[in-house]
Amino acid sequence: MSVNRHVHKFGGSSLADAGCFKRVAAIVAEHTQAQDLIVVSAAGKTTNRLINIIELAKQADNAAADALTGLIEFQSKLVNELLDEAAAKPILTALDGEHHQIASILEGELTAFTCNEVLSFGERWSARLLAALLSAQDCQAEWLDSRQFFKAELSTQPQVDVAQSAPLLAKCLAEKAACRIVVTGFICSDSEQRTVTLGRNGSDYSATELAALADAVSTTIWSDVAGIYSADPRLVKDAVLLENLALNEAAELSRIGTSVLHARTLEPLARSRQKVNLRCSYAPNDGQTLIHRKGANSHSAKIVTSVDNVVLLELTFTEDFSNNATALLEALACSHLAPATRHKHSETGSLRMAYTCELVDEALAKIDQLASQFHIQKIERSEGYSLVALVGAGVCDNPQQCYQFFQHLAEQPLEFIHSSADKLSLCAVVRKITLEPLLKDLHSHLFKQKTKLGLVVFGKGNIGSQWLELFSQQQAKLEQQHQIELCLAGVFSSKAGHLDFTGLALEQLNSSEADTALIWPEIFDKLKRHPYDELAVLDITASEALSAYYGEFARHGFHLITANKHAGASEQANYSALQQAFSDHGAQWLSNATVGAGLPVQKSIQSLRDSGDEIHTISGIFSGTLSWLFQQYDGTVAFSELLADALNQGLTEPDPREDLSGKDVQRKLLILAREAGLQLELADIALSSLVPEHLAALTVEQFLDSMSELDQSMLEAFNDAKRQGKVIRFLAKVNQKGEAEVGLSAIDALHPFANLKPCDNVFAIESLWYKQNPLVIQGPGAGREVTAGAIQADLVSLCKSLK
């Protein structure tokens, strides 16, 4: 079979109702390709209902018929909800016939094989229905009954006969069209074509076995959880998803008895090339766990796990205790009945073994068979115990974790602790307790380490250099206050920079030449391999080209702190797409430095809206440069002279037209309007530039020589306002209707906007709650120190959220 196939398995919880079937169909359409194999379990609780029907039939209870009718009605309802009348008709006809078929079986002798035949209908119904649903959605699919190729003989834990099954599967697949094939999990047939079931979690096992036989590249097991966590996330809220887990660690976890992964599921991996992924069908983008063959190179526990109910079997031997106990354990392991943990007591000659409730009866039956061979004198069964374990390569060699484990268990009603021979687990059996507090405490002490946040800065000019100094001064305080580890990993100018994941110091930036060229594909390739828990990009530039990469930052899960206005003031479609991208990938986009420098303007708008207020109007003076110019301008000095003075003081951009055009104010107003919930474009904001068209077309040098041409129009505006008892100010305003304008206005001399300190910005927010008396925020709206402070404030916000 040379086709590069993939196997995807969906459990009963993933197929619980019609909505779940539709979700699975969407996942299949997006994540699979033609000739991939889809393994399914019975829908929802169908298998449990079939087991109950069989038990009622064995007791000759008339309720069996009613229960069967109810189950057929459930299956029919699924068909009708998912398929149109034409597609549903043949399946409903088949269901009606199967209803009679099952009823007939239940009236006869209920052997192991006839019971298995009844149980097999759950998977057959799921496979047939999902294939029909996929085909109805233009995702061509056929279904395949795994009893046609999976061969196994009836036993307590049936094993698929690979030699018989492989050629049969090859024949089945060769006869199928080049489309997706939905295969029944859990069921197979014996040499006499009788139905055999593969036992608990048999569908997972049949999925990886199918992948091995078909030489599939991977098996993805979709369930109701995203994978394997550092602890049960239902009990330990800060448990984290493990993105990678070594096969031997996963096997040890499953052997102990975790409900996430059954031991037999992993057996076929050793003789195949497949990798196994665990994902959540309810949230396909919430991450996954990849189980790989590479040996783990860590020396510590990765998982705190537990089994709420375990049974202890205590065996005593008549002779040669040590050898017989060892030989018995080996025999049980060969029968896939190894205990979760065990304890040998040489002095009393007893062996204590812990089993899950699901496995203990099979283990007891096997021990009874072996009793005489291994000179077992007595077997005692005791219930009412719990198991707690640490799992991870080398955990038994980690003195700190071992100490913590022993210390925590010493306070519990402990029976025994056992470390596995391969050092993959440390298990404790205690008399039954409420496990949640113990697991939380263990997880916290063992795994809760400081979050590592890497910082990569773009822009090391006026504001960037100021922020680097500020960060250097406050790094230690930030780390201590927020229990976070910060690492300045990269600093770039427009062409090149420094990138070092071990960390950069200011002295290093000042004393050495840049060693990494700013070539974006190469930069992203390096950044996506960062070693931190989280990575934040700081954009302290005014570069529109850099803002074009914000979507990539989001897709890689990088947080973004920016003083750059271009993305926030870009087309509404791009702005919305960026917001969605950051949200989808669990990353934050913090941009409070884009408007008002260090003034809490955006945060105030966000806070008002979050608390239920409604923004009516935002207005003010948003440019420190224009604020200074019109506070100083009184008509006695030519406007061009005042402008030259501002330029010499560094209060304007090198090209003063960038300030005078009002475009920067226009962008700021758009950003605030969007924070207030308005969907506007830049073109929706009326802009009255202070630069005539003929001056806008000049070079910078030509404009600086021609600035006197502004004097007459400015003087006329000033005098017109003065005659009315007013002053001129460069204002911005937007209301809740989306009416917005930026330009020179005449306002009353006593207006709050009329008397500011030089370079101050002022923002007035009128809202439902601040109607008569607007919320006014005033202060320096520009400058390297306050803008660097705004960036630092966003970094603090990020640190708090990550903590």
Side-chain angles (χ1 to χ4, degrees):
M1 300 179 191
S2 59
V3 178
N4 261 347
R5 299 182 189 272
H6 298 264
V7 173
H8 292 259
K9 182 264 175 181
F10 295 93
S13 61
S14 296
L15 298 167
D17 54 35
C20 290
F21 265 86
K22 290 176 183 177
R23 188 183 302 113
V24 166
I27 291 171
V28 170
E30 181 178 354
H31 294 279
T32 70
Q33 55 194 5
Q35 297 190 5
D36 277 357
L37 305 173
I38 319 300
V39 177
V40 292
S41 298
K45 300 295 184 182
T46 295
T47 299
N48 289 341
R49 293 174 73 172
L50 287 168
I51 291 172
N52 181 56
I53 289 166
I54 291 169
E55 291 303 314
L56 290 172
K58 285 180 177 179
Q59 298 164 22
D61 193 324
N62 291 332
D66 293 336
L68 177 58
T69 299
L71 179 55
I72 295 296
E73 288 174 352
F74 167 72
Q75 295 292 333
S76 299
K77 185 170 181 287
L78 282 178
V79 175
N80 285 319
E81 288 180 352
L82 292 170
L83 302 175
D84 61 28
E85 186 176 350
K89 186 175 180 180
I91 297 180
L92 293 175
T93 301
L95 268 174
D96 186 55
E98 288 156 353
H99 186 176
H100 295 294
Q101 184 182 350
I102 295 171
S104 176
I105 295 172
L106 295 175
E107 290 173 0
E109 183 184 359
L110 290 174
T111 66
F113 293 110
T114 55
C115 289
N116 287 341
E117 177 72 16
V118 172
L119 291 176
S120 73
F121 280 97
E123 275 66 24
R124 290 151 64 184
W125 290 334
S126 288
R128 182 173 62 195
L129 179 54
L130 182 59
L133 176 61
L134 289 169
S135 295
Q137 296 180 348
D138 296 325
C139 184
Q140 190 59 41
E142 296 184 27
W143 77 281
L144 176 61
D145 188 332
S146 57
R147 294 177 299 173
Q148 294 182 35
F149 61 86
F150 268 151
K151 290 296 177 181
E153 297 304 316
L154 184 66
S155 67
T156 53
Q157 298 224 34
Q159 293 291 297
V160 170
D161 187 318
V162 174
Q164 284 191 65
S165 301
L168 293 173
L169 174 62
K171 182 175 182 292
C172 288
L173 296 181
E175 293 171 351
K176 292 291 182 183
C179 65
R180 293 164 179 84
I181 301 172
V182 185
V183 183
T184 56
F186 180 62
I187 57 176
C188 52
S189 62
D190 67 3
S191 56
E192 297 181 36
Q193 307 305 316
R194 295 172 299 187
T195 300
V196 174
T197 61
L198 292 171
R200 178 174 168 262
N201 292 103
S203 291
D204 286 356
Y205 165 50
S206 55
T208 53
E209 189 64 81
L210 175 63
L213 295 179
D215 191 28
V217 176
S218 70
T219 298
T220 301
I221 297 175
W222 298 84
S223 66
D224 54 0
V225 293
I228 297 172
Y229 286 77
S230 55
D232 186 339
R234 296 168 299 181
L235 302 178
V236 182
K237 298 304 180 187
D238 57 353
V240 296
L241 180 67
L242 302 179
E243 294 183 356
N244 293 280
L245 197 65
L247 176 58
N248 59 352
E249 292 173 320
E252 181 68 4
L253 182 66
S254 61
R255 187 192 63 77
I256 288 170
T258 177
S259 59
V260 178
L261 197 63
H262 192 264
R264 289 202 297 162
T265 303
L266 300 175
E267 290 172 13
L269 268 67
R271 51 182 167 78
S272 64
R273 62 167 175 163
Q274 66 180 300
K275 59 183 180 181
V276 171
N277 299 293
L278 307 179
R279 299 183 69 171
C280 179
S281 64
Y282 289 84
N285 298 318
D286 276 6
Q288 61 183 312
T289 298
L290 169 64
I291 298 173
H292 54 81
R293 289 182 186 75
K294 295 179 182 177
N297 55 12
S298 64
H299 298 285
S300 62
K302 292 181 179 177
I303 303 160
V304 178
T305 190
S306 64
V307 181
D308 194 39
N309 289 299
V310 295
V311 179
L312 280 185
L313 301 181
E314 184 168 358
L315 281 60
T316 53
F317 297 77
T318 57
E319 59 183 70
D320 197 4
F321 163 70
S322 181
N323 288 332
N324 277 318
T326 300
L328 173 66
L329 288 168
E330 291 174 355
L332 289 171
C334 289
S335 299
H336 307 283
L337 293 170
T341 189
R342 46 82 173 179
H343 178 250
K344 286 182 179 180
H345 199 292
S346 300
E347 293 181 6
T348 60
S350 65
L351 171 65
R352 303 178 80 189
M353 299 183 291
Y355 280 96
T356 61
C357 294
E358 293 82 4
L359 208 58
V360 66
D361 289 334
E362 293 178 24
L364 267 174
K366 188 66 178 177
I367 292 168
D368 283 337
Q369 292 176 16
L370 301 171
S372 59
Q373 179 182 347
F374 296 114
H375 304 284
I376 298 170
Q377 182 181 38
K378 186 170 64 173
I379 305 170
E380 292 185 10
R381 171 177 175 155
S382 305
E383 300 189 10
Y385 296 92
S386 300
L387 181 147
V388 179
L390 302 184
V391 178
V395 59
C396 302
D397 290 332
N398 188 310
Q400 183 178 3
Q401 290 190 333
C402 287
Y403 174 77
Q404 288 285 353
F405 190 70
F406 278 89
Q407 284 290 101
H408 281 81
L409 269 300
E411 302 169 6
Q412 305 299 330
L414 180 66
E415 291 293 318
F416 62 83
I417 293 178
H418 174 72
S419 58
S420 63
D422 50 16
K423 301 181 180 180
L424 286 168
S425 68
L426 194 60
C427 295
V429 174
V430 296
R431 287 189 292 280
K432 193 164 174 48
I433 58 171
T434 302
L435 290 171
E436 185 174 347
L438 174 61
L439 295 174
K440 284 181 176 178
D441 206 22
L442 268 173
H443 188 273
S444 176
H445 280 83
L446 293 170
F447 301 140
K448 202 167 183 180
Q449 300 176 352
K450 288 182 178 180
T451 298
K452 294 180 181 179
L453 174 62
L455 305 175
V456 178
V457 180
F458 293 93
K460 47 188 264 186
N462 194 27
I463 298 170
S465 59
Q466 180 69 32
W467 178 81
L468 286 168
E469 290 183 17
L470 180 62
F471 173 72
S472 180
Q473 295 164 9
Q474 296 193 357
Q475 180 179 358
K477 181 181 177 182
L478 266 178
E479 291 181 328
Q480 183 178 6
Q481 283 183 336
H482 303 290
Q483 290 299 296
I484 198 166
E485 186 177 323
L486 298 169
C487 181
L488 182 63
V491 179
F492 287 86
S493 65
S494 60
K495 294 183 179 179
H498 301 267
L499 185 64
D500 186 344
F501 290 142
T502 64
L504 298 167
L506 281 184
E507 304 77 39
Q508 182 179 350
L509 299 175
N510 296 330
S511 62
S512 60
E513 292 186 9
D515 56 8
T516 305
L518 188 56
I519 302 171
W520 282 107
E522 295 180 8
I523 292 295
F524 277 117
D525 189 54
K526 291 176 181 178
L527 292 184
K528 70 184 181 183
R529 297 199 301 268
H530 72 82
Y532 313 109
D533 298 310
E534 307 279 350
L535 185 77
V537 172
L538 283 70
D539 178 5
I540 315 178
T541 75
S543 168
E544 187 172 5
L546 179 54
S547 72
Y549 291 100
Y550 283 9
E552 280 297 303
F553 295 152
R555 282 186 283 277
H556 287 295
F558 303 158
H559 304 290
L560 176 66
I561 296 172
T562 179
N564 186 336
K565 302 176 189 66
H566 284 289
S570 63
E571 292 80 2
Q572 179 68 46
N574 181 64
Y575 174 76
S576 299
L578 286 175
Q579 284 191 313
Q580 189 62 48
F582 278 98
S583 174
D584 288 346
H585 293 85
Q588 299 183 48
W589 178 13
L590 303 169
S591 58
N592 288 293
T594 56
V595 181
L599 298 176
V601 185
Q602 295 179 70
K603 287 182 178 178
S604 296
I605 293 172
Q606 293 160 5
S607 178
L608 289 174
R609 294 189 69 203
D610 288 345
S611 60
D613 201 355
E614 181 181 281
I615 308 298
H616 291 172
T617 304
I618 302 170
S619 60
I621 295 172
F622 297 180
S623 166
T625 300
L626 296 176
S627 173
W628 185 89
L629 283 170
F630 289 107
Q631 287 290 337
Q632 302 296 317
Y633 184 56
D634 59 5
T636 61
V637 176
F639 185 79
S640 59
E641 291 183 29
L642 201 61
L643 184 59
D645 187 17
L647 178 62
N648 292 332
Q649 292 185 51
L651 298 177
T652 75
E653 295 295 331
D655 183 351
R657 289 173 296 182
E658 294 185 28
D659 299 298
L660 297 175
S661 70
K663 288 181 179 178
D664 186 61
V665 175
Q666 188 186 31
R667 291 190 189 98
K668 291 177 180 177
L669 183 61
L670 179 60
I671 290 170
L672 295 185
R674 287 173 172 172
E675 289 286 0
L678 297 172
Q679 292 196 358
L680 295 182
E681 300 288 1
L682 201 61
D684 296 329
I685 301 175
L687 173 63
S688 299
S689 173
L690 300 179
V691 183
E693 289 185 15
H694 70 281
L695 293 182
L698 302 177
T699 65
V700 177
E701 292 75 15
Q702 289 171 334
F703 171 74
L704 295 177
D705 291 337
S706 306
M707 288 194 303
S708 60
E709 294 185 34
L710 298 171
D711 294 343
Q712 186 60 36
S713 60
M714 289 299 174
L715 184 59
E716 288 175 1
F718 175 81
N719 288 330
D720 285 346
K722 187 176 181 182
R723 281 192 291 272
Q724 302 173 57
K726 296 183 177 182
V727 295
I728 53 173
R729 298 291 185 265
F730 198 84
L731 304 182
K733 183 176 181 179
V734 65
N735 63 30
Q736 63 187 137
K737 296 179 182 178
E739 299 166 341
E741 59 181 349
V742 170
L744 200 61
S745 299
I747 60 174
D748 191 272
L750 298 177
H751 193 283
F753 296 169
N755 300 288
L756 305 180
K757 292 181 180 180
C759 292
D760 265 10
N761 279 190
V762 62
F763 301 86
I765 303 170
E766 297 177 36
S767 69
L768 190 64
W769 298 345
Y770 292 87
K771 190 178 297 183
Q772 305 301 325
N773 189 16
L775 174 63
V776 177
I777 302 169
Q778 179 180 337
R784 61 195 304 241
E785 291 86 1
V786 289
T787 306
I791 293 163
Q792 185 74 352
D794 274 349
L795 176 59
V796 171
S797 295
L798 179 60
C799 290
K800 286 180 179 178
S801 68
L802 296 180
K803 178 183 177 182

